[in-house]
Amino acid sequence: MLSTICFLSGYFIICQTQWSNENGAVPGEPVKKDENSRRGNWGNQIEFVLTSVGYAVGLGNVWRFPYLCYRNGGGAFMLPYFIMLVFCGIPLFFLELSFGQFASLGCLGVWKISPMFKGVGYGMMVVSTYIGIYYNVVICIAFYYFFMSMTNLLPWTYCNNPWNTPDCSGVVSTSNQLNASLANATTTLVAGVSELVNRTKRTSPSEEYWKHYVLNISDDIGNFGEVRLPILGCLAVSWVVVFLCLIRGVKSSGKVVYFTATFPYVVLTILFIRGITLDGAINGIKYYLTPQWQKVLDAKVWGDAASQIFYSLGCAWGGLITMASYNKFHNNCFRDSIIISITNCATSVYAGFVIFSILGFMAHHLNVPVSEVADHGPGLAFVAYPEALTLLPISPLWSLLFFFMLILLGLGTQFCLLETLVTAIVDEIGTDWIIRNKTVVTLSIAVVGFLLGVPLTTQAGIYWLLLMDNYAASFSLVIISCIMCICIMYIYGHRNYFKDVEMMLGFPPPLFFKVCWRFISPVIISFILIFTVIQYKPITYNDYVYPGWSLAIGFAMALSSVVCIPIYALYKISRSPGATFRERLKNACRPHPKWGPALQEHRTGRYAAMASEDTVEARPLKEKEELREELKEEEKEKERKDEISLTIQGSNGSTNTHNNPNPSA
């Protein structure tokens, strides 16, 4: 809507014309300033959606989902996957977005809803810390491969390098290497694979490059060896990039995501078009999607589907609450939750076509089943897929694109992990100094994150990275999410929360979401927890079995986030007023007086009484008098401006006056 405002300045009348945007406001509500000047807001809603998509769509969409899909019945896996999306993924996503947006606070501040459960917020911070440390190490390895791809010949193409062993056998023939220049050596495909297939033990050049050159991996998790300086340098680059993108909080990261959240889809599309044109690609895609309907009756398939949905969307990390807290109060987060959740799952399916078309091409040239070249996790990203890329003409180009895509996917998640920690600290301290110097907090966390990531760049780093990946953010996330649902729906009360959502959105949550929040989603979360415990197997890395002491450290990391919940609950109960334990418990669970919308203009209904009490009556006498004087001065100033403001008839026939100083809000 185009609006014009005029005001008197000296002897001149100055007019300003600008576009106004209600940003998802409740229909019929007058346009008003909705900017939280103290914390800041997203520049527009597209920035929030793109940031959330970048947060949810991460490395797991590329290196975990396609593998799970073909291992659990191909196309048949899609059925339980989408059922879990509808009944668990989208409802939990909407719950966390609405939770953070309503209070405009991070993962610690939102627990004013029931202060006894603030330990859940601390648990989220611990989980985000663990993930942020090792996730950036994965990104730095992608940076390293990206830099190493800037060459005419990929270094993992042949077996004639100093780090190769006698067991190495490549998929690209070396017979033509002497007769071809480096520029066209990458176009030489396998001439004869019979000798390769008949080998009883084969290690690929990409696997040996990964193990013996990039990692120079040690023989035990306790044998750290030396720091791999190239990886350490790339880790520094990764943290510098993350810090620079978050230097102004959501104001800067919101602009970066226009590229980091969208360009991976461009790369995926380029790789997909190239992949489906290769020989054998159809076989790989068939292997990926061919339904095995008998597996639908297998409980493990449903468990994998529920787990993948839960972990892929980033529930219980604290990131969703944090990102939503920078929304304007009346933003339609219900719409956003559906868009982002479906985009995340569609990306996973799309990535499967990209991965298996290339792997099908590789299996065709090796004359082996697709299952022998399929892999997941770091094995797919840094061994199987890079090896397949060596078969393509102009292989360095495709390698550059692939690893650049991995970098962007990782950075999108890493931005939110770091912002979660920064926002939680700034909201908790809450002083003017800490808010003005938020950049210092961001820099401090980035430096600490870099230092804590240094051990992961040693020769034993990959062991510790996988240990953190398997334990730091596994069943603890499930427990945190389950307790969050119970607290909001049963301690705070589902009726109260439904009214809060209605006040914020202008309509109550649909009946389906009410039922899911109260019953279905907690049951599914409990099922995921039970499934995780039943399916537990001690972690291994290829043939290496982790020693007992390292597994104990893994469980300690997992419990360190969960144990925050009972410890803080006991602390809060002990500090709450009351003559008996029951009274203390009741007071500890009661919402804090400041719980509710952050801005006074939104504190309506049952929050209106709290707002007026907080602004005047709940203050000391001197502060009351000062506040009343300030209010009187504001009223006088407003009357003075009204006298000199001019009313201009807008192009749409509506009247705009100076009473609405910010039509763009």
Side-chain angles (χ1 to χ4, degrees), residues 34 89 113 121 137 160 340 426 517 527 535 549:
D34 199 6
I113 193 173
V137 175
N160 58 349
I340 297 166
V426 172
W517 285 347
F527 165 71
Q535 293 291 323
W549 63 267

Side-chain angles (χ1 to χ4, degrees), residues 38-39 99 102-122 321 423-424 426-430 487-488 491-492 500 568 572 586-598 603 607 610 614:
R38 185 174 175 82
R39 294 182 83 249
F99 192 23
F102 182 77
S104 297
L105 292 169
C107 64
L108 282 182
V110 290
W111 293 103
K112 288 183 174 67
I113 193 173
S114 184
M116 191 182 81
F117 290 89
K118 192 174 183 179
V120 175
Y122 284 109
I321 294 174
T423 298
V426 172
D427 285 349
E428 185 67 10
I429 298 175
C487 173
I488 296 175
I491 305 298
Y492 178 64
D500 291 343
Y568 190 87
K572 191 63 183 178
K586 187 175 181 180
N587 289 327
C589 293
R590 183 177 290 120
H592 191 278
K594 292 186 178 180
W595 161 250
R603 296 183 74 90
Y607 295 104
M610 299 181 190
D614 182 59

Side-chain angles (χ1 to χ4, degrees), residues 328-378:
K328 294 185 178 181
F329 185 72
H330 291 303
N331 170 64
N332 190 345
C333 58
F334 170 68
R335 170 202 61 203
D336 295 341
S337 63
I338 295 176
I339 293 174
I340 297 166
S341 300
I342 293 178
T343 300
N344 173 71
C345 296
T347 303
S348 297
V349 176
Y350 188 36
F353 286 93
V354 175
I355 297 300
F356 275 88
S357 62
I358 300 290
L359 294 182
F361 166 67
M362 181 178 178
H364 172 75
H365 275 275
L366 291 176
N367 195 26
V368 297
V370 179
S371 59
E372 291 192 17
V373 297
D375 203 347
H376 69 290

